[in-house]
Amino acid sequence: MGVKETERLRVAMQKSGRLADASLELLRHCGLHVSKTKNALYSRIEELPIDVLLVRDDNIPSFVSDGVCDLGIVGRNVLEEVMLRSGHDRPSFPVESVLPLGFSRCRVSIAVPESSGVRSTIELGGARVATSYPATLGHFLDRNGVSAEIVEMTGSVELAPRLKIADAICDVVSTGATLDANQLVEIATVVESEALLIKRQNGLSESKFETAERLIRRVRGVIRSANTKYIMMNAPASAVDAIASVLPGADAPTVMPLAGTAEQVAIHAVCEETVFWETMEKLKSVGARAILVLPIERMMA
Ligand code: PRT
Ligand code: ZN
């Protein structure tokens, strides 16, 4: 059954770049397939009444706040910058962050040339700081009572100190390799970022609201199951308490008898946190054997 054009939910996502593939992948895990055609701004999803708008990430927050789109996937760094630039204080910008998505993690940091000897924000008083995040940086400097000159740049910010355009930079850092290559050191983190699912706060019709809720529920399930593992092991019955106390983010585990022995049991649990090698080593040290960690395909609370 067709849904009226105006009742199709519109989701803004990055067309190409560091958010693009993971955003499409997230929709795929939600059972939604975007028919992607080269250069198409619009893509239709067949499984639910949803259209995807593929745009530059910088435009996503305003598309959602202006009602051009209803939901969006964008980095927290970009959302904060657009919010602060638009002059709204946070509560009145009509966009809410529904949930963090766990990909495109990075931080907006202030960095200075290693040789400058500067190691704290307070020492930036009177300095020139180059950035593509002028509003975010201005807000941070104000909060720290530092008065510095903000030099706005759109790209290659890391070159500014060498070009004598600035004394420091404020830019996105992921691994830190770019800073290292330019002999820059981080002195402060301004924003910790990852991709967010954002939503317009009001003005959704009833049917769009329902579609949004369905999508959000699926996204929540995908994020939860990505972080959740099913863990199984055998152990002496006497070790059950010690094992339960080591299992990360698990409710009471299921304990089952093993055939032919009263002393040994099988223990199964759902862990809502990463199971690290360290955790497995700890389980082994308190008596667990044959430990298996399995991914969970889907979850719904
Ligand atoms: O064309 P469009 O405007 O849509 O894309 P864009 O070029 O503005 O953004 P894009 O695709 O580069 O990044 C999109 C989002 O990914 C950013 O807004 C961040 O939320 C997130 N992200 C995650 C990153 C990085 N990691 C990252 N490493 N964004 C940028 N970088 C750059 C950074 O600016 C620096 O030049 O990578 C370099 C640093 O990386 P490291 O690993 O050397 O520290
Ligand atoms: Zn951008």
Side-chain angles (χ1 to χ4, degrees):
M1 197 178 63
V3 171
K4 267 204 304 200
E5 206 57 38
T6 50
E7 289 305 315
R8 295 180 70 86
L9 192 78
R10 285 188 186 170
V11 182
M13 301 192 335
Q14 191 188 29
K15 185 173 171 61
S16 67
R18 288 184 164 87
L19 294 160
D21 289 347
S23 302
L24 282 178
E25 171 117 349
L26 176 67
L27 290 189
R28 252 197 310 277
H29 283 299
C30 291
L32 306 176
H33 298 85
V34 179
S35 45
K36 205 177 174 190
T37 47
K38 270 223 155 78
N39 292 321
L41 179 67
Y42 248 93
S43 285
R44 195 154 263 235
I45 284 177
E46 296 305 327
E47 295 88 351
L48 287 178
I50 297 175
D51 287 335
V52 170
L53 204 63
L54 297 167
V55 295
R56 290 201 57 187
D57 67 343
D58 314 70
N59 297 330
I60 293 173
S62 16
F63 276 5
V64 175
S65 71
D66 295 348
V68 176
C69 291
D70 309 299
L71 295 181
I73 296 177
V74 71
R76 188 191 305 278
N77 55 322
V78 170
L79 176 66
E80 294 234 334
E81 177 67 17
V82 174
M83 274 182 164
L84 289 166
R85 267 190 210 194
S86 75
H88 288 283
D89 49 8
R90 276 146 220 253
S92 68
F93 192 82
V95 169
E96 69 180 286
S97 160
V98 181
L99 81 156
L101 300 172
F103 58 83
S104 300
R105 284 185 200 276
C106 59
R107 53 197 185 274
V108 178
S109 287
I110 297 178
V112 296
E114 255 160 31
S115 56
S116 68
V118 169
R119 290 298 178 265
S120 68
T121 308
I122 209 82
E123 294 169 75
L124 291 174
R128 293 164 304 161
V129 189
T131 189
S132 318
Y133 296 85
T136 308
L137 173 62
H139 186 65
F140 177 82
L141 292 174
D142 283 352
R143 264 191 352 243
N144 285 276
V146 173
S147 161
E149 185 190 336
I150 297 174
V151 181
E152 188 169 349
M153 282 178 75
T154 48
S156 306
V157 174
E158 68 279 1
L159 301 180
R162 217 181 315 146
L163 298 174
K164 307 277 183 243
I165 298 169
D167 308 299
I169 67 165
C170 172
D171 198 13
V172 173
V173 179
S174 169
T175 60
T178 303
L179 294 185
D180 284 350
N182 290 281
Q183 288 91 48
L184 298 166
V185 282
E186 265 178 283
I187 59 165
T189 303
V190 178
V191 178
E192 289 279 359
S193 183
E194 66 186 285
L196 303 175
L197 180 65
I198 61 170
K199 180 184 167 219
R200 188 148 46 89
Q201 260 166 351
N202 35 44
L204 284 191
S205 68
E206 202 176 319
S207 68
K208 274 190 168 193
F209 182 82
E210 258 170 42
T211 309
E213 285 302 297
R214 274 181 86 181
L215 178 57
I216 291 167
R217 213 164 26 239
R218 289 192 192 184
V219 171
R220 226 182 269 289
V222 169
I223 302 298
R224 263 188 85 189
S225 65
N227 295 331
T228 304
K229 296 284 178 272
Y230 194 80
I231 183 165
M232 312 195 287
M233 72 206 82
N234 293 344
S238 58
V240 170
D241 287 348
I243 285 171
S245 69
V246 172
L247 289 172
D251 287 337
T254 306
V255 179
M256 287 162 284
L258 283 180
T261 161
E263 287 94 55
Q264 298 291 320
V265 292
I267 302 172
H268 291 195
V270 173
C271 292
E272 295 212 28
E273 276 172 40
T274 314
V275 180
F276 294 106
W277 282 108
E278 287 75 11
T279 311
M280 294 176 69
E281 286 160 3
K282 242 189 248 168
L283 289 168
K284 204 163 168 51
S285 74
V286 294
R289 287 172 297 105
I291 308 167
L292 291 180
V293 179
L294 308 174
I296 287 179
E297 179 80 18
R298 284 189 232 290
M299 282 182 85
M300 194 176 279

